[in-house]
Structures are given as C-alpha cells and as structure tokens.
C-alpha cells in the first residue's frame, strides 16, 4: 500500500475529528487546503476511489457526533498547521482500521 496526499489528508482529518470528539467539542470548523477532500466531504465531488470512499464514510460517521460542523478551504501556504498534522497522520495506521470497519462498527 502506498500513501497519497489524499489518504494523508483524510487521515489528518480523521485524527483531528477524534481529538475534537475526545475534548468534548460540539461545534467544529475545520480548515484544510485539499480542495478535493473538502469537496468530497461536502458531497460536492464524487468519491470514486474505494479507499477514499471508506475514508469519506469514516469522516461522516465522526461528523455525526458534532452539533455543528463546517469544513473550509484555505490556501496551502496559509495552512502550515494542517500540513504538520497531515505529516503526523501519515505515521499512524488508519488504513488497517478502515479496512476492519467492514466487520467492526467503530475504530478504537
């Protein structure tokens, strides 16, 4: 399995959503620089790749925990914190957890 920028962006988003949920945050606004991922999460762009569909579904499962959620696109050069989070997200094995979701309802 090789990581792409898209999988890394999704992993960073998933980790951020987990963190926000653990902190008890109910209203969340997310800033990202990946237009593709943002538009897929918003439902404005079809998610054709099976792996990215699984990521997108996981994001939507996590979004349900929030009272209000918004995801906003910002220019990459203004999003250094998200780039660092994406790098950290790439170090974790979220992909195996997503594959296991077919038999398990949630990632632990």
């Amino acid at each position: 399995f090789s990581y792409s920028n898209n999988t890394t962006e999704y992993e960073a988003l998933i980790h951020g959503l987990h963190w926000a949920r653990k902190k008890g945050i109910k209203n969340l606004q997310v800033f990202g620089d990946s237009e593709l991922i943002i538009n897929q999460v918003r439902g404005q762009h079809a998610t054709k790749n099976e792996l990215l569909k699984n990521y997108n579904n996981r994001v939507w499962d996590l979004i349900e925990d929030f009272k209000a959620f918004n995801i906003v696109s910002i220019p990459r050069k203004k999003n250094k914190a998200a780039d660092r989070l994406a790098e950290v997200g790439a170090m974790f094995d979220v992909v195996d957890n997503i594959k296991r979701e077919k038999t398990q309802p949630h990632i632990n």
Side-chain angles (χ1 to χ4, degrees), residues 10-22 25-26 28 30 41 54-69 94 98 101 105-108:
Y10 265 116
E11 288 179 11
L13 177 56
I14 289 168
H15 285 293
L17 293 171
H18 276 291
W19 179 87
R21 187 173 70 172
K22 286 180 185 177
I25 295 169
K26 294 296 178 192
L28 184 64
V30 173
V41 170
N54 288 333
Y55 277 113
N56 195 340
N57 291 337
R58 184 63 184 133
V59 166
W60 273 98
D61 288 344
L62 291 166
I63 288 172
E64 289 177 0
D65 292 338
F66 298 98
K67 201 158 90 174
F69 176 84
V94 175
I98 287 175
E101 282 188 350
H106 297 288
I107 293 176
N108 294 327

Side-chain angles (χ1 to χ4, degrees), residues 88-103:
V88 171
M91 292 189 273
F92 295 95
D93 199 5
V94 175
V95 174
D96 284 340
N97 287 334
I98 287 175
K99 289 178 184 174
R100 279 182 267 163
E101 282 188 350
K102 292 178 181 175
T103 59

